Amino acid sequence: MSKLIKRRSFLKGAAVAGAGAAAVAASNLAAPAIAQGKRELKMVTTWPKNFPGLGTSAERLAARIGSASGGAITVKVFSAGELVPPFESFDAVSQGTADMYHAADYYWQGKSKAYNFFCAVPFGLTASEMNAWIHHAGGQQLWDELGAGFNIKPFMAGNTGVQWGGWFNKEMTGLEDFKGLKMRMPGLGGEVLRRLGSAAVALPGGEIFPALQAGTIDATEWVGPWNDLAFGFYKVTKYYYWPGFHEPGTVLSCGVNKGVWDSLSAGEQSLIETCAAAENDMVLAEFNAKNSDALATLVNEHGVQVRRMPNDMLNAIGGKSGEVVAEAAASDPMTQKVYDSFLAFRGKAIAYSKLSDQAYWQARLLPFKYG
Ligand code: CA
């Protein structure tokens, strides 16, 4: 089928639902919206409406696509639960109920464990390393191959940077403190906790605070100071631990229904790709700009106790993480392929970061006077 025919049949089909689908389906291609090539895409998200940094990024990506296309493509955003429950966003896009999602791909590890690697894995890659692997070291090709099996074309569309270890209702002094702990932690980080004897659950963002308040969970991780302040976890738990070993640079993703994607012109595809890349930068910048002040608010205004996870605890968790990630890789051939690429890149990234980012950060902490 030629691209033009595919495009016309697409325009006659689901994507124009809501703009008078019945009339359009009667092949009235002269209708103004169609003649001008306008279309509306439905974006489902896993975030509460306008949640800072996540929901707002989905809205900003939609607005960016709208303005960059001169209004030819409008994206209507549905927050968690508005069109489908948050964790059904993947199926909705895969099956065409929605045209695209904005989410974190580790939520889809039930589809394939390979999805963890395109979001965050414990002791994995930082934000800049994820960008490097996905854009320049084969990651995007593997993600496309994985997505094709589910009728989804994926993109990076944001990054939270290094997350925090989470909120606890007690001090965590050793590994034994994880035994019996009921904690919200998604992805492979949750599996690491299970190996430590915790009961880990992967609640969507909007369900965490009520669960914490009701005592259904004892502890939670979410993102970092800016996002965690917005959810108000400090009202229930006071011990806030860093660093977030489980999410060192979490990718937010935009997945587009493959049929919708293939029906777009090369220019429209490029536009969406470029908007997602712009948003990928914008989100990380926003988290980096806002986390520091939010942490000060948590500590100074809400009496939050900030604690660092001790090295022996992190070292033990690191070992468990390595086991969990390797076992996940063995779950299917695609995940193994993704893991092999990820692991090879991780090795190079560690070797080089010692001489670059990490070396500079250590140098900057030397006690010289500056300014
Ligand atoms: Ca998180």
Side-chain angles (χ1 to χ4, degrees):
M1 198 189 285
S2 76
K3 189 125 195 165
L4 179 63
I5 293 169
K6 273 164 69 180
R7 183 181 159 84
R8 284 165 64 109
S9 58
F10 164 74
L11 286 168
K12 285 161 68 180
V16 288
V24 174
S27 77
N28 181 9
L29 289 174
I34 302 304
Q36 292 162 24
K38 287 191 175 177
R39 60 180 65 191
E40 181 176 291
L41 302 178
K42 292 193 202 101
M43 177 196 277
V44 289
T45 78
T46 53
W47 322 119
K49 187 139 201 91
N50 282 321
F51 188 80
L54 306 172
T56 53
S57 171
E59 297 280 0
R60 199 167 48 202
L61 175 61
R64 200 184 286 281
I65 291 170
S67 63
S69 68
I73 305 175
T74 51
V75 178
K76 183 166 170 48
V77 179
F78 295 86
S79 60
E82 275 192 323
L83 190 64
V84 294
F87 287 171
E88 287 175 29
S89 299
F90 185 91
D91 283 342
V93 172
S94 178
Q95 293 159 12
T97 313
D99 302 304
M100 59 212 294
Y101 67 70
H102 189 279
D105 267 16
Y106 56 21
Y107 291 146
W108 324 135
Q109 68 162 339
K111 304 292 178 187
S112 167
K113 289 205 160 50
Y115 274 110
N116 290 295
F117 295 93
F118 300 105
C119 183
V121 298
F123 285 96
L125 302 177
T126 65
S128 67
E129 290 165 355
M130 284 300 284
N131 285 337
W133 176 57
I134 290 181
H135 283 314
H136 293 288
Q140 184 69 53
Q141 289 86 341
L142 289 165
W143 202 5
D144 287 346
E145 188 180 337
L146 174 66
F150 297 96
N151 202 33
I152 287 174
K153 164 68 184 168
F155 298 102
M156 287 191 287
N159 198 300
T160 65
V162 183
Q163 298 201 0
W164 274 56
W167 296 84
F168 298 83
N169 57 12
K170 61 181 181 184
E171 286 203 74
M172 303 296 286
T173 54
L175 284 183
E176 64 284 355
D177 291 326
F178 284 97
K179 288 203 176 86
L181 187 77
K182 291 174 286 181
M183 183 165 185
R184 185 268 179 190
M185 186 177 280
L188 294 179
E191 184 54 32
V192 172
L193 287 192
R194 278 178 216 113
R195 305 277 170 108
L196 299 173
S198 303
V201 290
L203 297 172
E207 294 176 24
I208 302 173
F209 185 81
L212 206 54
Q213 205 169 31
T216 316
I217 53 174
D218 311 309
T220 187
E221 72 80 54
W222 176 235
V223 178
W226 179 40
N227 270 191
D228 295 5
L229 173 64
F231 266 150
F233 300 137
Y234 64 85
K235 294 173 191 164
V236 186
T237 53
K238 288 292 181 200
Y239 294 102
Y240 194 26
Y241 274 81
W242 59 280
F245 68 88
H246 59 301
E247 299 195 50
T250 305
V251 172
L252 309 181
S253 47
C254 174
V256 183
N257 174 280
K258 191 70 168 44
V260 170
W261 179 253
D262 289 343
S263 75
L264 297 170
S265 68
E268 290 165 333
Q269 290 182 344
S270 171
L271 184 145
I272 290 177
E273 203 163 10
T274 305
C275 289
E279 196 52 33
N280 193 45
D281 284 348
M282 194 58 77
V283 173
L284 182 62
E286 195 172 20
F287 274 94
N288 280 337
K290 296 194 169 160
N291 271 330
S292 175
D293 288 344
L295 181 62
T297 300
L298 286 169
V299 172
N300 300 329
E301 295 179 24
H302 301 301
V304 167
Q305 300 288 311
V306 168
R307 297 281 187 276
R308 182 183 186 276
M309 287 195 182
N311 274 349
D312 56 350
M313 184 189 284
L314 286 171
N315 190 49
I317 293 173
K320 288 277 179 224
S321 299
E323 287 170 27
V324 164
V325 174
E327 282 175 33
S331 64
D332 64 68
M334 186 68 214
T335 307
Q336 185 69 50
K337 198 161 134 181
V338 171
Y339 170 79
D340 290 345
S341 169
F342 183 92
L343 198 70
F345 188 80
R346 183 181 181 277
K348 290 189 214 176
I350 289 172
Y352 190 69
S353 64
K354 276 187 207 164
L355 312 175
S356 54
D357 288 348
Q358 191 179 337
Y360 170 68
W361 287 329
Q362 283 165 342
R364 194 169 59 180
L365 289 175
L366 292 171
F368 54 81
K369 185 174 183 311
Y370 187 80

